[in-house]
Amino acid sequence: MSTHESTVRNRKWVTPVTALAIGLGYLVAGLLGDNLEFGVFGLVLMVAVGGAFWLVRTRSETVAGLLDRRDERINAIDASASLFAGMTTLAVVLGAFMVEIARGQDGMPYAALGAVAGVAYVAALVWGRLRR
Amino acid sequence: MKNVVKELRSSQGLSQATLAISVGVSRQTINSIESGRYLPSLPLAIALARFFGATVEEVFDVDA
């Protein structure tokens, strides 16, 4: 087995394992917050999402591409979709921040979320500029 | 940008799936390239050209 094949095989597990890790995080949060129902639901939901990705991969080239990351077109579509989701989230955060300020509040936690987004953008810009 | 991927593939009696496996992409990507909906990266364009024993400019028409 080549190194490339091994890498592709390992990549296929990233999304299901990440979904499982998030589910376990929900479970721990639910246990700590004395909300077992939320924790169990969150774990079951994320296991279902990860499992669905894993099962559908044999029937959908798009899902398979999202899992193994080999197809440049799927990767480009994924990057565009991620950018759209990120910009949408940022717009909502900025809007919510303005609403909170208009209501006489301190703008938290939206101010902090917006600041994280701004710092992350600048860091990514610098990183990308250094690498290319 | 127009290309002759479909013509070259058909002339060799290959399916989109076979070509896709040969150059390491999905069948959908080959379909998108052939229909002009997706412009491949330079490495993929070179891989396609090499597969057909042609140059990139013979496969992809930069003026069209």
Side-chain angles (χ1 to χ4, degrees):
Chain A
M1 180 188 303
S2 71
T3 305
H4 176 70
E5 287 172 339
S6 175
T7 303
V8 167
R9 199 173 70 165
N10 291 336
R11 280 182 193 158
K12 286 181 179 176
W13 289 99
V14 171
T15 301
V17 168
T18 301
L20 176 62
I22 293 171
L24 289 172
Y26 286 158
L27 179 64
V28 171
L31 289 171
L32 292 174
D34 201 22
N35 191 345
L36 183 62
E37 191 176 335
F38 167 85
V40 171
F41 176 76
L43 177 61
V44 170
L45 179 67
M46 294 313 295
V47 167
V49 169
F53 261 77
W54 187 250
L55 291 174
V56 173
R57 80 187 194 286
T58 56
R59 293 179 174 272
S60 167
E61 285 185 329
T62 301
V63 172
L66 287 171
L67 289 177
D68 65 29
R69 316 301 302 180
R70 278 194 299 182
D71 191 294
E72 65 172 44
R73 176 175 145 273
I74 298 295
N75 290 344
I77 293 170
D78 180 50
S80 297
S82 298
L83 175 64
F84 179 75
M87 294 306 289
T88 301
T89 303
L90 184 58
V92 169
V93 165
L94 289 174
F97 169 71
M98 288 183 228
V99 168
E100 285 298 290
I101 294 297
R103 293 172 62 190
Q105 305 296 316
D106 62 1
M108 294 298 284
Y110 305 108
L113 290 171
V116 167
V119 170
Y121 175 78
V122 172
L125 201 65
V126 171
W127 177 250
R129 177 64 185 83
L130 290 173
R131 291 190 67 195
R132 296 180 197 176
Chain B
M1 184 184 294
K2 290 185 178 178
N3 67 76
V4 292
V5 172
K6 185 174 184 178
E7 288 77 3
L8 290 169
R9 177 180 61 77
S10 298
S11 70
Q12 296 190 14
L14 297 171
S15 67
Q16 289 182 339
T18 304
L19 176 58
I21 291 169
S22 299
V23 295
V25 296
S26 68
R27 184 198 55 77
Q28 291 173 340
T29 294
I30 295 299
N31 183 265
S32 293
I33 292 170
E34 288 184 354
S35 61
R37 283 183 286 117
Y38 177 67
L39 197 60
S41 68
L42 185 57
L44 180 53
I46 292 172
L48 285 165
R50 283 183 175 172
F51 180 85
F52 292 119
T55 65
V56 172
E57 285 162 307
E58 287 171 337
V59 179
F60 296 92
D61 187 352
V62 294
D63 297 319

